[in-house]
Amino acid sequence: MKVLAAMSGGVDSAVAAALAVEAGHEVVGVHMALSKSRNQFRTGSRGCCSIEDASDARRAADIIGIPYYVWDLSDEFEETVVADFLSEYAAGRTPNPCVRCNEHIKFEALLDRAVTLGFDAVATGHYAQVRARDVADLKVPGGVRQTFDLFRSPNLDKDQSYVLAVAGPHRLARVIFPLGGFRSKDEVRAEAAKRGLAVSTKPDSYDICFVADGDTQGFLRSRLGAQPGEIVDHEGHVVGAHEGAYAFTVGQRRGLHLGRPATDGQPRYVVDVQVATNRVVVGPASLLTVRQITCDQVVWFADDCPPTVEIAAEVQVRAHARPVPATVQQDADGALQVSLSAPGLRGIAAGQSLVVYAGNRVLGQGTVVSSGRNVEAVDGAVPAAAS
Amino acid sequence: MTVQPHRPIYLDHASTTPLSPVARAVYETASDQIGNASSIHSFGRAARRHVDEARELVASAIGAHPSEVVFTSGGTESDNIAMKGMWWAAQAQQPHRRRIVASAIEHHAVLDPAQWLADTYDAPMSILPVDRWGVVDQPAYLAELDVYGAETAVASVMWANNEMGSIQPITEIVAAADRHRVPVHSDAVQALGQVPINFAESGLTAMTITGHKIGGPVGTGALIVRRDAAITPVSHGGGQERGIRSGTLDTVGIRAFAAVVDAATSHWAQRAHHLTALRDRLIEGIQSAIPDAMLMGPSGHDRLPSNVHFVFPGADSDALLFLADQVGLAVSAGSACQAGVQGISHVLTAMGVSETAARGALRISVGMTTTPQDVDTAITLLPGVVAQARHVGSHRMPTPHGGE
């Protein structure tokens, strides 16, 4: 196959590109330029798009022996990932930009461009597995078609199926994850070292790549402007002030700077972000407990559409969070209704991605629009929906 | 995407051109000689003699006096010494002259030091507009001088543009500047060896030339500086090259450089004839193969013999270069930044070309090693490349500001 290897300049994508070559594919390395204003060097674990990263990717391509190009996708990145990040926070929701980057950049803009330019597949250094499966379909000749399933990596610490599920079966049909079977990062680093790739010892990157200094609140303030408002408790008493409700996330405890201690002496959490009134509501942990979640923007793997009858599964609401048992079902409006078994989950914010699993297999994915709290815990003073 | 059926064709001679047999021979011979040209002993004297002979050769080739030749490492260094050195010297002698003037289509090696001076010293800066062919707008330039001439420290207008091949009216520009006693620098890196250049006749105060665009080694070049010009050095040290450019003289490089400057200028007419034939064959071939291709820049004698520049409307820049490379065509588009991202050409923007159209730009530059067969192969391959790059261009998402 003719394969485009997306090369960030990190060790994972470099080894993925090398393995694609060794698997017999004709490979071209492409580094995506996603930021308009690149830093010379990466600082600590932050950022993924420095000039140094581009040159690390280039050197890896040299060693692997594949052509290397830089493609400028910074307009697309700004218009989709960054714009979504800002508008979601502005709407009081909590977005996951890595999910949106996979959705709009890696497995849309880059994949489309690759296919248009004659590539059969895109290879990335993600930790997850895609497997083809035959399904009966009377609408196609032969009555059988292939569908593609997404599985967790055997390396659960590194597993990225949570942020990849959004790509869906049709796009993942054109994606290969050469690191899908690796059990540890050390193995990947060893593979890199074995091939003389200098990135073998390069530190991992975390955090949001376009918030270079890691100060998400500062980034939001600089892009959205200050919007001072009140912090109130769940009974409506003003207990503090904020510079913009968008900077708060349901479940957040730190950085509230509340003037008055809680009457019960218990820690207080953000339990609601009310954009319409520019108010942040805080309350005790008990108000964060959620048993019912509604998701939209549903992507489904198993049989291409979500089940209309309740099925038992597991759901995960954050990268690297533990999956919890739940039942899921598509309602008449096409939304995904998720009911959690006791004790439920704490601190579910609208905008988060929810991924449904059956064991290690991804069944589907949706974006949280609302969540219902544990009925017994709510005293009626707080709206039942997150937004 | 097809596998390339032929050896890759190099059509990017404006970026750099192969080392000429003359330069290679001189370089190899000169490499056997040891000695620092600043040393007193016999080895030093021999090296100094070679440098001085090279200096005389360069001077006679371009109509300059030998003491006007300041050897440097090439275009960027020469441009920096000229812009900063002339501006600093003006501050010492005529502090009321603070303004920096540069054309909008200058190379970054001129524009960036100019901007750096403006930012660092809070100096006023004027950017001269160009017409749709990429030639400095003379009425605007004259009006600029009428208003600001008396307070201008330095003006810089390139002899010919590197992207568009547009040859600038240097004689007229210098004549007008002279009336206001404004010293003019010109980057003649692209023009050398393709159009006749005579430094003395031009009236320029300083002129940049480089070796690697005419078959010399990269890292060789000169700033030609009038004897009466005031230039404050950028680097200080041993005081070589009139104190304008300290540093041990690169005897080997200088000798090879002088040889190619001599060869390129003595045979400029034959070179121009050879290159023009290839250029026009390429332009006509592309125009007939891709009817909506838009030739940018001037035509005929107003254009550098080596330069072809087309905009293919709707084509995506990254895809154009990728696809051309995949089929074995080495061409360029504007200039890439340090990370390898293709920027929108500031030259096209200055010519009034929209950002959208500028994305589909391709510079194809021929050289002395280019053959008519190379040109014909390029003409055969380009329509497929452009068609596929347009397919990608049409997938580009619209921008919120309606630019696409």
Side-chain angles (χ1 to χ4, degrees), chain A residues 2 28 33 38 40 51 54 67 69-72 75-76 79-80 113 116-119, chain B residues 1 316 318-319 322-323 325-326 338-341 359 388 391-392 396-400:
Chain A
K2 180 118 187 159
V28 169
R38 302 184 137 213
Q40 184 75 38
I51 290 166
Y69 302 89
V70 176
W71 287 357
D72 181 9
D75 284 341
E76 287 88 340
E79 288 155 20
T80 55
R113 178 174 281 243
T116 308
L117 289 172
F119 288 94
Chain B
M1 205 156 30
D316 176 89
D318 286 336
F322 168 76
L323 292 163
D325 191 40
Q326 289 287 302
Q338 208 187 345
V341 178
R359 285 189 197 283
Q388 213 177 348
H391 199 43
V392 172
R396 231 188 147 85
M397 275 172 283
T399 63

Side-chain angles (χ1 to χ4, degrees), chain B residues 34-394:
Chain B
I34 58 165
N36 183 327
S38 299
S39 299
I40 306 297
H41 48 62
S42 60
F43 297 93
R45 286 200 309 279
R48 166 62 59 144
R49 178 183 171 171
H50 284 303
V51 168
D52 284 341
E53 283 171 359
R55 193 185 309 282
E56 287 159 13
L57 195 55
V58 170
S60 76
I62 57 164
H65 188 277
S67 57
E68 291 175 324
V69 177
V70 174
F71 290 118
T72 68
S73 65
T76 295
E77 187 188 4
S78 293
D79 286 344
N80 270 268
I81 294 173
M83 296 307 290
K84 294 173 187 169
M86 289 164 78
W87 192 85
W88 285 332
Q91 298 322 291
Q93 297 172 356
Q94 300 169 282
H96 62 284
R97 289 190 180 265
R98 290 180 57 76
R99 182 168 293 269
I100 306 151
V101 175
S103 89
I105 58 166
E106 291 307 301
H107 191 277
H108 279 292
V110 166
L111 281 180
D112 289 14
Q115 188 65 54
W116 179 84
L117 288 167
D119 293 344
T120 306
Y121 301 102
D122 198 20
M125 182 160 128
S126 301
I127 298 292
L128 300 174
V130 297
D131 61 19
R132 55 188 290 221
W133 311 111
V135 178
V136 167
D137 179 337
Q138 288 198 60
Y141 169 64
L142 295 176
E144 158 76 26
L145 284 174
D146 284 341
V147 179
Y148 296 117
E151 58 178 73
T152 299
V154 56
S156 188
V157 176
M158 66 204 327
W159 202 300
N161 181 260
N162 52 311
E163 291 185 35
M164 232 48 66
S166 51
I167 297 167
Q168 305 300 316
I170 292 298
T171 311
E172 290 83 350
I173 281 164
V174 174
D178 273 352
R179 292 196 285 277
H180 300 273
R181 299 185 182 283
V182 172
V184 182
H185 162 257
S186 183
D187 181 331
V189 159
Q190 295 285 338
L192 188 68
Q194 295 195 39
V195 296
I197 285 181
N198 187 300
F199 181 70
E201 283 174 17
S202 73
L204 286 167
T205 299
M207 181 175 84
T208 293
I209 56 176
T210 194
H212 76 106
K213 309 287 190 189
I214 52 171
V218 175
T220 62
L223 181 66
I224 314 302
V225 189
R226 248 164 59 173
R227 288 144 65 92
D228 59 355
I231 288 205
T232 306
V234 174
S235 331
H236 299 79
Q240 292 90 341
E241 301 301 278
R242 289 164 58 185
I244 292 173
R245 205 274 190 176
S246 285
T248 300
L249 289 163
D250 170 15
T251 310
V252 179
I254 284 169
R255 290 177 68 185
F257 170 64
V260 292
V261 171
D262 179 49
T265 52
S266 352
H267 305 297
W268 79 265
Q270 293 99 303
R271 288 167 53 92
H273 181 76
H274 173 78
L275 296 173
T276 303
L278 293 167
R279 177 194 76 185
D280 292 346
R281 186 186 185 103
L282 192 51
I283 290 175
E284 284 158 28
I286 291 173
Q287 281 175 332
S288 78
I290 309 170
D292 64 345
M294 291 153 52
L295 181 68
M296 295 287 123
S299 309
H301 293 300
D302 298 328
R303 180 179 206 110
L304 275 186
S306 64
N307 176 284
V308 175
H309 192 124
F310 275 102
V311 161
F312 303 104
D316 176 89
S317 174
D318 286 336
L320 268 179
L321 292 178
F322 168 76
L323 292 163
D325 191 40
Q326 289 287 302
V327 299
L329 273 186
V331 292
S332 84
S335 55
C337 82
Q338 208 187 345
V341 178
Q342 285 298 322
I344 299 291
S345 157
H346 68 284
V347 178
L348 283 172
T349 309
M351 288 161 62
V353 176
S354 76
E355 207 174 285
T356 314
R359 285 189 197 283
L362 214 57
R363 180 187 71 182
I364 313 170
S365 46
V366 295
M368 296 307 291
T369 53
T370 307
T371 65
Q373 291 70 38
D374 291 339
V375 166
D376 293 345
T377 308
I379 294 166
T380 313
L381 292 171
L382 269 173
V385 166
V386 170
Q388 213 177 348
R390 282 181 166 159
H391 199 43
V392 172
S394 68

Side-chain angles (χ1 to χ4, degrees), chain B residues 1-48:
Chain B
M1 205 156 30
T2 51
V3 177
Q4 53 199 57
H6 54 81
R7 68 184 167 83
I9 294 174
Y10 188 78
L11 290 173
D12 197 16
H13 290 267
S15 296
T16 195
T17 200
L19 197 68
S20 72
V22 171
R24 188 186 297 271
V26 173
Y27 203 93
E28 282 181 10
T29 308
S31 296
D32 293 332
Q33 186 108 35
I34 58 165
N36 183 327
S38 299
S39 299
I40 306 297
H41 48 62
S42 60
F43 297 93
R45 286 200 309 279
R48 166 62 59 144

